[in-house]
Amino acid sequence: MTLLPVHCALLACTAALVNHHVPDPYMDEIFHIPQAQRYCSNDFATWDPKLTTPPGLHGIKEWKEREHILNFVIDYYRYLISRLFSLCNTTVNLRIINLVFAICLYPVIRRLVQLHHPQTHRWTQHAFTLALVWFPVGFFYNFVYYTDPGSTLFVLLCYLLAKENRYTLAGLSGLISLTFRQTNVIWVCVTMVISMMDVISFQDQPLVSLWSQQQPSIALLNVIRQLIVQTLQQYPLWIKKLYMFLLTIMGFAAFLVWNNGIVLGDRSNHIAGLHFPQLFYFSSFLSFFAAPWLLTSENVRSFFSRPSWKGIFTSLILAANMYYLIDHYTYEHPFLLSDNRHYTFYVWKKIYRRHWSIRYLLIPFYIISGWFNLRPLVHHTGFLVCLGYLLALVLTLVPSPLLEFRYFIIPFLFYCIQLGPPQRIERTWMVVFTYTLIHIITIYLYLYKPFEWIHEPGPLQRFMW
């Protein structure tokens, strides 16, 4: 038995409501949809400079100005897919593409959960999969013409194909994911390293077992050293199997040189920097949406066990470092302060801007949140996979100047796949119910509570993630 029909039913009902009440392009759709329509009209010479991501969703980067045909070869698949869905000159038909991605995401996540947690009951796996595909932030963007559904699908498909030892297809899927979002290259690299360990039969021990040794720091360094040595010794083997990953990464490096940076358009509003508090925001975000899975009796008992002086000292060191990072690297993006259509605007206004001290008073919560998030990860995941995940978080979130919940979708799903379903299925059904309720509220506000800007009367503005 599968819950895919239930997933499809909610997709269809929500899509019908959204397309009925908001048939015209909204928010970033006003950039994506015209670009897709140009693409479907065989106009490959025009590119909207406001678009910051590659043309995997809609079209091709201008080749007259750049005099480069490579983009056309990479993204022509998008033209073929668009043609399959009748005429692509309407907003509704273009949005259907993301619904297809949303449907395909279910079997991908289902298979990943099965591979990572084969001992879990099949019904529990399906319930857990339904919860993840209904994750409210990711689920919302299935109904608008944004890059997130395609980006999420192809990154996780790349990971799935790699776990199934289909490395060439995995590398190709990773390449496609880069045409939706440039930062996906980080997740492609993580998947490549995981694949490399599988190819050379490297045993990745759980972090908790390494940390329990007499000299844990030396044990951790030895694991990294052994991986490097075995990788160098067996390089002909993994290069032969992972050549598509290497071509993808080298192609992306060539893109960075050709494009003179990672961002395509609107560079003035997307300047990379060091925004370390993003990690604290994500930890809080993860704790909120995964709370029923994280607040187990075992985790709670372990947290409230008798504190040691070592634990207290470590917490104080963490608090001091967090204070420094918050004080020196907090960044308020102009979009965050001015665009009251996104929920992040209200999070920032109602919490962080209520008083200057709030950002510092939240440090104990960040420490507690991080503890509950990391403890299950280090018990369920190998040290190197855990390290790769944390590095991916740093490399994808810290350079971003804007607090944007969409950037948390892939990190959240990757974490939950590693975590796996809890023993008690009731917790997963609680998550499904909570996510459904949040989705209903989100769609209700989006469709039925529009408002007008005083400085721009007439057009309706809508709340969204």
Side-chain angles (χ1 to χ4, degrees), residues 378-402:
V378 300
H379 280 79
H380 291 83
T381 309
F383 161 60
L384 292 173
V385 174
C386 185
L387 179 63
Y389 175 72
L390 295 177
L391 287 175
L393 283 183
V394 173
L395 294 175
T396 55
L397 298 182
V398 170
S400 175
L402 178 63

Tab-separated table of all heavy atoms in Angstrom, residues 378-402:
chain	number	residue	atom	x	y	z
A	378	VAL	N	24.312	12.218	15.123
A	378	VAL	CA	25.577	11.527	15.390
A	378	VAL	C	25.351	10.071	15.787
A	378	VAL	O	26.276	9.256	15.718
A	378	VAL	CB	26.397	12.254	16.483
A	378	VAL	CG1	26.714	13.671	16.057
A	378	VAL	CG2	25.661	12.251	17.819
A	379	HIS	N	24.130	9.719	16.206
A	379	HIS	CA	23.835	8.334	16.554
A	379	HIS	C	23.387	7.520	15.343
A	379	HIS	O	23.511	6.296	15.334
A	379	HIS	CB	22.748	8.268	17.637
A	379	HIS	CG	23.258	8.523	19.015
A	379	HIS	ND1	23.523	9.797	19.487
A	379	HIS	CD2	23.569	7.671	20.036
A	379	HIS	CE1	23.964	9.721	20.737
A	379	HIS	NE2	23.996	8.458	21.088
A	380	HIS	N	22.832	8.191	14.331
A	380	HIS	CA	22.270	7.487	13.184
A	380	HIS	C	23.137	7.583	11.928
A	380	HIS	O	22.869	6.893	10.950
A	380	HIS	CB	20.877	8.033	12.853
A	380	HIS	CG	19.835	7.722	13.870
A	380	HIS	ND1	19.652	8.475	15.003
A	380	HIS	CD2	18.922	6.714	13.936
A	380	HIS	CE1	18.661	7.968	15.715
A	380	HIS	NE2	18.199	6.903	15.098
A	381	THR	N	24.156	8.432	11.952
A	381	THR	CA	24.898	8.732	10.736
A	381	THR	C	26.390	8.551	10.974
A	381	THR	O	26.893	8.823	12.062
A	381	THR	CB	24.624	10.188	10.285
A	381	THR	OG1	23.216	10.390	10.229
A	381	THR	CG2	25.216	10.458	8.917
A	382	GLY	N	27.087	8.118	9.925
A	382	GLY	CA	28.530	8.001	10.005
A	382	GLY	C	29.199	9.346	10.184
A	382	GLY	O	28.643	10.395	9.799
A	383	PHE	N	30.384	9.328	10.749
A	383	PHE	CA	31.109	10.564	11.043
A	383	PHE	C	31.330	11.410	9.793
A	383	PHE	O	31.081	12.619	9.789
A	383	PHE	CB	32.454	10.236	11.697
A	383	PHE	CG	33.455	11.347	11.642
A	383	PHE	CD1	33.184	12.582	12.231
A	383	PHE	CD2	34.669	11.185	10.985
A	383	PHE	CE1	34.104	13.619	12.171
A	383	PHE	CE2	35.591	12.211	10.919
A	383	PHE	CZ	35.304	13.432	11.515
A	384	LEU	N	31.772	10.797	8.699
A	384	LEU	CA	32.092	11.565	7.497
A	384	LEU	C	30.843	12.112	6.829
A	384	LEU	O	30.859	13.225	6.289
A	384	LEU	CB	32.891	10.694	6.524
A	384	LEU	CG	34.293	10.324	7.010
A	384	LEU	CD1	34.944	9.325	6.079
A	384	LEU	CD2	35.170	11.580	7.134
A	385	VAL	N	29.760	11.353	6.843
A	385	VAL	CA	28.499	11.867	6.297
A	385	VAL	C	27.999	13.041	7.143
A	385	VAL	O	27.541	14.056	6.622
A	385	VAL	CB	27.436	10.751	6.231
A	385	VAL	CG1	26.081	11.327	5.801
A	385	VAL	CG2	27.871	9.660	5.269
A	386	CYS	N	28.117	12.886	8.451
A	386	CYS	CA	27.731	13.974	9.358
A	386	CYS	C	28.589	15.213	9.111
A	386	CYS	O	28.076	16.334	9.034
A	386	CYS	CB	27.866	13.501	10.801
A	386	CYS	SG	27.297	14.691	12.029
A	387	LEU	N	29.896	15.011	8.963
A	387	LEU	CA	30.805	16.120	8.702
A	387	LEU	C	30.471	16.783	7.364
A	387	LEU	O	30.446	18.016	7.253
A	387	LEU	CB	32.246	15.623	8.699
A	387	LEU	CG	33.338	16.664	8.402
A	387	LEU	CD1	33.351	17.751	9.472
A	387	LEU	CD2	34.712	15.987	8.305
A	388	GLY	N	30.207	15.962	6.338
A	388	GLY	CA	29.854	16.508	5.034
A	388	GLY	C	28.574	17.317	5.084
A	388	GLY	O	28.474	18.381	4.443
A	389	TYR	N	27.611	16.834	5.845
A	389	TYR	CA	26.339	17.567	5.993
A	389	TYR	C	26.558	18.920	6.653
A	389	TYR	O	26.035	19.948	6.198
A	389	TYR	CB	25.351	16.733	6.797
A	389	TYR	CG	24.052	17.446	7.100
A	389	TYR	CD1	23.118	17.680	6.097
A	389	TYR	CD2	23.767	17.900	8.388
A	389	TYR	CE1	21.924	18.336	6.378
A	389	TYR	CE2	22.577	18.546	8.673
A	389	TYR	CZ	21.660	18.771	7.659
A	389	TYR	OH	20.486	19.428	7.940
A	390	LEU	N	27.340	18.942	7.715
A	390	LEU	CA	27.584	20.201	8.424
A	390	LEU	C	28.372	21.177	7.547
A	390	LEU	O	28.093	22.389	7.540
A	390	LEU	CB	28.335	19.924	9.724
A	390	LEU	CG	27.565	19.096	10.766
A	390	LEU	CD1	28.431	18.833	11.988
A	390	LEU	CD2	26.277	19.802	11.172
A	391	LEU	N	29.340	20.661	6.788
A	391	LEU	CA	30.083	21.525	5.865
A	391	LEU	C	29.165	22.080	4.780
A	391	LEU	O	29.277	23.246	4.382
A	391	LEU	CB	31.244	20.759	5.245
A	391	LEU	CG	32.437	20.456	6.153
A	391	LEU	CD1	33.451	19.576	5.428
A	391	LEU	CD2	33.094	21.753	6.626
A	392	ALA	N	28.244	21.234	4.293
A	392	ALA	CA	27.292	21.691	3.277
A	392	ALA	C	26.405	22.795	3.830
A	392	ALA	O	26.099	23.771	3.124
A	392	ALA	CB	26.447	20.516	2.789
A	393	LEU	N	25.987	22.667	5.091
A	393	LEU	CA	25.194	23.726	5.718
A	393	LEU	C	25.954	25.043	5.731
A	393	LEU	O	25.418	26.099	5.383
A	393	LEU	CB	24.828	23.337	7.151
A	393	LEU	CG	23.706	22.337	7.358
A	393	LEU	CD1	23.467	22.145	8.850
A	393	LEU	CD2	22.428	22.799	6.682
A	394	VAL	N	27.213	24.972	6.146
A	394	VAL	CA	28.030	26.191	6.219
A	394	VAL	C	28.189	26.821	4.837
A	394	VAL	O	28.015	28.032	4.655
A	394	VAL	CB	29.407	25.878	6.836
A	394	VAL	CG1	30.322	27.100	6.747
A	394	VAL	CG2	29.250	25.445	8.288
A	395	LEU	N	28.496	25.999	3.837
A	395	LEU	CA	28.808	26.521	2.505
A	395	LEU	C	27.571	27.019	1.765
A	395	LEU	O	27.681	27.899	0.900
A	395	LEU	CB	29.507	25.444	1.676
A	395	LEU	CG	30.899	25.041	2.176
A	395	LEU	CD1	31.449	23.881	1.357
A	395	LEU	CD2	31.860	26.226	2.113
A	396	THR	N	26.397	26.474	2.075
A	396	THR	CA	25.190	26.916	1.385
A	396	THR	C	24.471	28.050	2.099
A	396	THR	O	23.869	28.906	1.449
A	396	THR	CB	24.203	25.750	1.201
A	396	THR	OG1	23.919	25.155	2.477
A	396	THR	CG2	24.773	24.702	0.270
A	397	LEU	N	24.538	28.073	3.436
A	397	LEU	CA	23.756	29.051	4.185
A	397	LEU	C	24.557	30.289	4.576
A	397	LEU	O	24.046	31.415	4.482
A	397	LEU	CB	23.167	28.404	5.443
A	397	LEU	CG	22.196	27.249	5.220
A	397	LEU	CD1	21.658	26.743	6.562
A	397	LEU	CD2	21.050	27.662	4.313
A	398	VAL	N	25.776	30.103	5.025
A	398	VAL	CA	26.550	31.242	5.534
A	398	VAL	C	26.784	32.325	4.478
A	398	VAL	O	26.660	33.520	4.780
A	398	VAL	CB	27.887	30.759	6.134
A	398	VAL	CG1	28.807	31.937	6.443
A	398	VAL	CG2	27.626	29.957	7.409
A	399	PRO	N	27.113	31.989	3.224
A	399	PRO	CA	27.345	33.068	2.245
A	399	PRO	C	26.086	33.832	1.856
A	399	PRO	O	26.182	34.913	1.280
A	399	PRO	CB	27.904	32.316	1.027
A	399	PRO	CG	28.397	31.017	1.550
A	399	PRO	CD	27.473	30.677	2.671
A	400	SER	N	24.900	33.277	2.146
A	400	SER	CA	23.658	33.920	1.722
A	400	SER	C	23.340	35.119	2.608
A	400	SER	O	23.240	34.980	3.829
A	400	SER	CB	22.502	32.920	1.774
A	400	SER	OG	21.280	33.566	1.482
A	401	PRO	N	23.129	36.286	2.011
A	401	PRO	CA	22.848	37.475	2.824
A	401	PRO	C	21.402	37.569	3.289
A	401	PRO	O	21.093	38.346	4.185
A	401	PRO	CB	23.168	38.625	1.857
A	401	PRO	CG	22.869	38.064	0.504
A	401	PRO	CD	23.236	36.602	0.580
A	402	LEU	N	20.508	36.763	2.692
A	402	LEU	CA	19.076	36.900	2.952
A	402	LEU	C	18.553	35.707	3.748
A	402	LEU	O	18.823	34.552	3.402
A	402	LEU	CB	18.313	37.015	1.627
A	402	LEU	CG	16.780	37.111	1.702
A	402	LEU	CD1	16.362	38.374	2.446
A	402	LEU	CD2	16.176	37.075	0.306
